[in-house]
Amino acid sequence: MSSMACRYRPNEFEDVCGQSSVVKILQKQLEINDIKNCYLFCGPSGTGKTTLARIFANKINNGLGSPIEIDGASNNGVDNVREIINQAKERSLTSEYKVFIIDECHAITTQGWQAFLKCIEEPPKYTIFMFCTTEPNKIPNTILNRVMRFNLNRVPIENIKQRLQYICQQEGFINYIETCDYISKISYGGVRDAIATLEKAASYSNDLNINNVLNCLGNFDYNVLFDLTDAMTNKDEENTIKIINYCFNSGNDLKLFITQFMDFSLDLFKYCLFKDISLTKIPSTYINDINNIINFDNAKNYFSNVISKLMQLSVNLKNEINLLTTITISLLDIIRGC
C-alpha cells in the first residue's frame, strides 16, 4: 500500500497548502495560455514543489499523457543531461507538450548544467522543463537567469493542521485534534513530514490522543517535563534527582531528554513573553499547567537563564560518557544558581 503522503498528495491547485501566490500565477498563465518553457520551483522539503509541478503539467496537457519525472541526484552527469536533451527534441505522442520534471536538480554537475544551457535558452517549442530544488544556491546563475523561478514558503501551521485533520477524518482516527495541533508545530512548515509523522503515530494506534503519540514518537511525557520544572523552580533537589534517575532507569536517552527539556524551557520562556500558547509546541490542553508553572516572580529571567545553561550542558554532553552524573550535577547547579 502506498504511503499516506502519496495517497493524500493534492491533485488540484485548490488542495495545495500555503502557496496561494504561486498557484495564482500558474492559474493565470493557464488562463491566458502564456506557458513558459522553463520553470524552477524552490523551497524547503515538503512544501509542494513536485506536487505543483505535477498539477501544472497535468493542466497544461488537459490531463493527457504524463510528465517525465527524473531524479536529478542520480541523473546528474553530462551524459545523462545529453540523453534528456535528445528526448526533448522529440514531440510527445500522447499530449501537446512533453514535460520534464527534474527533482533535486541542484545535484546536476557543472558540466551537466553547461550541456543544458543551450537547450534551456532555446528549448524545443513543445517541450517544458520544470526543475525542483531545495538548494537554488547551487544552481549556476546562467541557468537561474533563464527560468521562471518560484520560491515556495514553509506552510503555515494552521494550514498543516487543517490538512492533518482532514486526513484523520478520512481515515477514521479518533482523539486527533490535539495531536494534529502538536504535529503541525513540530513539522517546521513541511506538509509531507507532518503527514509522515501522523502515519507513524497512526501505525501505533488509531486512538491519536497526545500521550499515545508522544510515546510513539519517542518524545517525553509533558508531565515529566512539568514535574522536573516544578522541582527545579522550587529548588527541590531531592525530586530533581529522583526524576533524572527515573528517566535513566527507564532506559531513556538522556541526551535527547536534555534537548527536549531545553525546547520545553524555551517554550515556557516564549509564553512568559507573549502569553500565547500557539507560539509554543506545548499542546493547548496544558494551558493551566503552564500558567501554574510560571506563576512566580521574574519567571521570564529565570527561564532565560535556564535555557542558556541547558545549551551549554547540551554541548558538554557530546563527548561525555557518564551522562547521569554530569546531568544531575548540572541541574543541581542550575537550581542553586538561578
Side-chain angles (χ1 to χ4, degrees):
M1 181 181 292
S2 61
S3 69
M4 196 178 288
C6 290
R7 295 203 306 274
Y8 289 97
R9 181 182 286 235
N11 294 313
E12 297 291 337
F13 282 129
E14 293 74 16
D15 297 327
V16 177
C17 297
Q19 310 298 343
S20 57
S21 60
V22 177
V23 167
K24 186 174 182 180
I25 294 171
L26 295 178
Q27 288 178 321
K28 184 66 174 179
Q29 290 188 1
L30 289 168
E31 181 183 332
I32 63 176
N33 195 29
D34 182 27
I35 309 300
K36 311 302 180 184
N37 287 100
C38 296
Y39 294 87
L40 175 64
F41 296 93
C42 312
S45 176
T47 52
K49 300 180 296 297
T50 307
T51 295
L52 278 171
R54 287 178 177 176
I55 295 173
F56 192 40
N58 184 57
K59 299 292 184 185
I60 288 171
N61 282 320
N62 297 309
L64 299 175
S66 297
I68 301 170
E69 297 197 28
I70 297 171
D71 176 20
S74 54
N75 296 275
N76 58 358
V78 65
D79 291 336
N80 302 117
V81 171
R82 285 173 179 159
E83 183 178 342
I84 295 171
I85 293 171
N86 288 333
Q87 292 182 54
K89 293 176 182 177
E90 301 172 0
R91 281 200 65 171
S92 172
L93 299 176
T94 57
S95 57
E96 183 177 0
Y97 291 94
K98 178 177 281 189
V99 181
F100 291 87
I101 298 177
I102 304 178
D103 211 352
E104 305 298 331
C105 67
H106 58 266
I108 295 175
T109 63
T110 301
Q111 293 78 10
W113 282 121
Q114 288 174 349
F116 240 138
L117 185 59
K118 184 66 175 177
C119 184
I120 290 175
E121 189 170 30
E122 298 177 7
K125 184 177 179 181
Y126 291 98
T127 298
I128 297 173
F129 292 103
M130 298 184 186
F131 299 99
C132 303
T133 180
T134 56
E135 301 181 65
N137 56 295
K138 293 185 178 181
I139 300 175
N141 287 331
T142 51
I143 300 296
L144 294 176
N145 293 336
R146 290 166 170 79
V147 300
M148 174 168 279
R149 174 174 174 173
F150 294 104
N151 293 319
L152 278 65
N153 303 314
R154 293 189 184 277
V155 180
I157 289 173
E158 191 60 33
N159 292 91
I160 297 177
K161 182 164 60 175
Q162 290 173 2
R163 188 64 178 171
L164 295 180
Q165 290 177 354
Y166 168 78
I167 293 172
C168 289
Q169 291 168 2
Q170 299 301 307
E171 296 289 327
F173 301 149
I174 60 173
N175 299 322
Y176 54 78
I177 298 297
E178 188 176 8
T179 288
C180 290
D181 179 62
Y182 176 71
I183 293 177
S184 67
K185 290 178 178 178
I186 65 172
S187 299
Y188 300 103
V191 181
R192 185 178 61 239
D193 291 344
I195 296 176
T197 302
L198 179 68
E199 184 171 25
K200 179 180 178 181
S203 66
Y204 179 81
S205 173
N206 279 1
D207 182 354
L208 295 180
N209 72 75
I210 191 65
N211 290 328
N212 279 350
V213 172
L214 291 173
N215 189 37
C216 163
L217 299 180
N219 291 359
F220 289 90
D221 189 334
Y222 273 101
N223 292 322
V224 175
L225 299 175
F226 275 109
D227 288 344
L228 179 57
T229 302
D230 184 60
M232 292 178 65
T233 54
N234 289 314
K235 299 188 180 299
D236 187 342
E237 297 183 355
E238 181 180 348
N239 270 331
T240 298
I241 293 173
K242 285 182 178 179
I243 292 169
I244 296 301
N245 282 334
Y246 165 77
C247 292
F248 177 76
N249 293 330
S250 298
N252 293 308
D253 182 343
L254 290 184
K255 288 184 180 179
L256 177 61
F257 177 75
I258 291 301
T259 297
Q260 294 188 3
F261 185 49
M262 181 168 61
D263 284 344
F264 178 72
S265 298
L266 177 59
D267 280 340
L268 293 178
F269 175 72
K270 290 178 183 176
Y271 189 80
C272 288
L273 284 176
F274 304 106
K275 296 296 187 294
D276 184 354
I277 196 170
S278 68
L279 298 178
T280 76
K281 299 174 187 174
I282 304 173
S284 57
T285 51
Y286 289 99
I287 185 65
N288 291 332
D289 299 274
I290 296 176
N291 285 320
N292 289 333
I293 209 75
I294 67 167
N295 188 25
F296 60 91
D297 293 337
N298 297 318
K300 180 180 68 174
N301 293 335
Y302 172 84
F303 289 113
S304 177
N305 290 331
V306 168
I307 294 165
S308 297
K309 293 184 178 181
L310 289 175
M311 285 184 64
Q312 185 58 53
L313 172 59
S314 182
V315 172
N316 294 341
L317 292 179
K318 287 183 178 179
N319 299 312
E320 182 58 58
I321 298 176
N322 196 342
L323 297 176
L324 179 60
T325 298
T326 301
I327 290 173
T328 301
I329 292 173
S330 298
L331 295 187
L332 292 176
D333 282 344
I334 292 175
I335 288 175
R336 294 162 186 167
C338 290

